[in-house]
Amino acid sequence: MTYNFDAYKEALKGLDSAFIGYAVKANHNLHIMRYLASLGSGAVLVSGNELKTALIAGFDPSKMVFNGNGKMLHELELAVQNNVLVNIDSEFDLEHIIQASKNTGVKARAMLRINPDVDPKVHAYVSTGMASSKFGINNALIGDYLKKIKDNSTNVELLGVHCHIGSTIKDVTIFRDAALKMVEFVDMIRGEGFDLQYLNIGGGLGIDYERKGEKIPTPKDLIDTVRDLIIKMKLKLIIEPGRSMVGNTTVFVNKVTGVKSNGTKNFVVVNGSMSELIRPSLYDTY
């Protein structure tokens, strides 16, 4: 895990104020979270409980990002109170963020989640940045969002834009394709008078699950595809590694309870279940 974190840290050298936000959903074990916090990692969160755990683990709230399209009002209040960056994902999400600010008396620090509509060429279930995605705003309505934020400038400060195009990505040029579209949005939003500071390009770097000797891109390969754009636009980069931070550092331990046969096929029965490892059954992934 130290090696993985250091690989991202090294890759980000030369990019002013960039930070690594560990995607807590990849593994929310408190010991892992505490260790990554001790290394200086930030945290990317998708629930109020993850936010509470991240605070307990010692992550710096200024390096936390609260994602998701179903954030509850009480969760947003906790995020706003702690100055966590909150992603605006929809019209109702923006309304809830404004209300959370009013309820707490604290201005929300926000980013706008935009879908660059770039195909990551991965399984459809982990492709999250297409125009058809359930995540992010309707890009055609971006002007309406900007007006709403201006009208509520005492409650919301727009500090950046965010995208996440998918997971298990092994062609890092796709990140550049997405970043090129995102800097166009940055230019446009800055032209409307907003002082954007952050570009969050999400996570999604693939890892070597099958161990067949396939060449897997490194964090440096990923960052180098967008480095010149970040420098040119004078932005602070946020990267959200999850599985590429912990996927090759932990094990799922099971105990074999027995072996049975239906006459044509043998089954090894273990005390682990779909509760811990649903993906092969859900969409036939490795």
Side-chain angles (χ1 to χ4, degrees), residues 16-123:
D16 182 44
S17 301
F19 75 81
I20 302 160
Y22 167 58
V24 169
K25 65 183 179 181
N27 191 322
H28 60 257
N29 180 284
L30 183 58
H31 298 287
I32 289 172
M33 292 175 66
R34 278 180 170 148
Y35 183 65
L36 285 169
S38 75
L39 295 178
S41 177
V44 174
L45 317 154
V46 293
S47 75
N49 279 339
E50 285 189 358
L51 174 51
K52 290 177 184 177
T53 308
L55 291 169
I56 292 168
F59 287 99
D60 179 354
S62 70
K63 293 198 292 185
M64 291 186 195
V65 179
F66 191 16
N67 288 335
N69 57 16
K71 301 184 286 291
M72 303 293 288
L73 182 57
H74 69 274
E75 297 173 319
L76 286 166
E77 289 172 353
L78 181 64
V80 170
Q81 283 175 322
N82 285 279
N83 292 312
V84 172
L85 276 166
V86 179
N87 265 320
I88 299 167
D89 195 88
S90 65
E91 289 123 319
F92 72 78
D93 197 36
L94 176 54
E95 290 286 356
H96 291 166
I97 292 166
I98 292 167
Q99 190 61 51
S101 170
K102 290 178 179 177
N103 291 354
T104 60
V106 180
K107 184 185 286 191
R109 301 169 67 240
M111 294 188 292
L112 201 56
R113 179 157 179 172
I114 297 170
N115 290 324
D117 200 23
V118 170
D119 185 356
K121 301 172 186 174
V122 295
H123 196 290

Side-chain angles (χ1 to χ4, degrees), residues 27-238:
N27 191 322
H28 60 257
N29 180 284
L30 183 58
H31 298 287
I32 289 172
M33 292 175 66
R34 278 180 170 148
Y35 183 65
L36 285 169
S38 75
L39 295 178
S41 177
V44 174
L45 317 154
V46 293
S47 75
N49 279 339
E50 285 189 358
L51 174 51
K52 290 177 184 177
T53 308
L55 291 169
I56 292 168
F59 287 99
D60 179 354
S62 70
K63 293 198 292 185
M64 291 186 195
V65 179
F66 191 16
N67 288 335
N69 57 16
K71 301 184 286 291
M72 303 293 288
L73 182 57
H74 69 274
E75 297 173 319
L76 286 166
E77 289 172 353
L78 181 64
V80 170
Q81 283 175 322
N82 285 279
N83 292 312
V84 172
L85 276 166
V86 179
N87 265 320
I88 299 167
D89 195 88
S90 65
E91 289 123 319
F92 72 78
D93 197 36
L94 176 54
E95 290 286 356
H96 291 166
I97 292 166
I98 292 167
Q99 190 61 51
S101 170
K102 290 178 179 177
N103 291 354
T104 60
V106 180
K107 184 185 286 191
R109 301 169 67 240
M111 294 188 292
L112 201 56
R113 179 157 179 172
I114 297 170
N115 290 324
D117 200 23
V118 170
D119 185 356
K121 301 172 186 174
V122 295
H123 196 290
Y125 285 24
V126 289
S127 174
T128 55
M130 301 292 288
S132 58
S133 172
K134 73 175 181 178
F135 297 102
I137 67 165
N138 178 346
N139 294 354
L141 300 178
I142 191 167
D144 295 341
Y145 282 88
L146 297 179
K147 183 180 184 304
K148 183 81 170 179
I149 294 167
K150 279 184 180 178
D151 291 345
N152 291 273
S153 59
T154 58
N155 298 114
V156 183
E157 183 179 16
L158 185 63
L159 294 174
V161 292
H162 171 273
C163 71
H164 181 83
I165 55 177
S167 299
T168 69
I169 297 169
K170 296 177 183 177
D171 177 5
V172 292
T173 62
I174 294 167
F175 286 97
R176 182 172 183 83
D177 294 341
L180 283 167
K181 291 195 174 185
M182 293 301 290
V183 297
E184 291 179 5
F185 283 107
V186 170
D187 258 339
M188 184 271 286
I189 295 169
R190 281 176 170 172
E192 293 294 321
F194 292 92
D195 181 22
L196 295 192
Q197 302 173 29
Y198 296 101
L199 172 58
N200 184 338
I201 60 169
L205 190 63
I207 66 173
D208 189 9
Y209 277 118
E210 301 188 39
R211 301 173 187 260
K212 293 180 178 178
E214 181 183 8
K215 186 180 185 312
I216 305 293
T218 66
K220 187 175 187 305
D221 294 331
L222 189 166
I223 301 302
D224 282 351
T225 65
V226 301
R227 182 181 301 277
D228 62 318
L229 297 173
I230 299 301
I231 293 171
K232 177 185 175 184
M233 299 296 293
K234 295 182 172 58
L235 288 162
K236 300 172 185 177
L237 179 67
I238 302 174

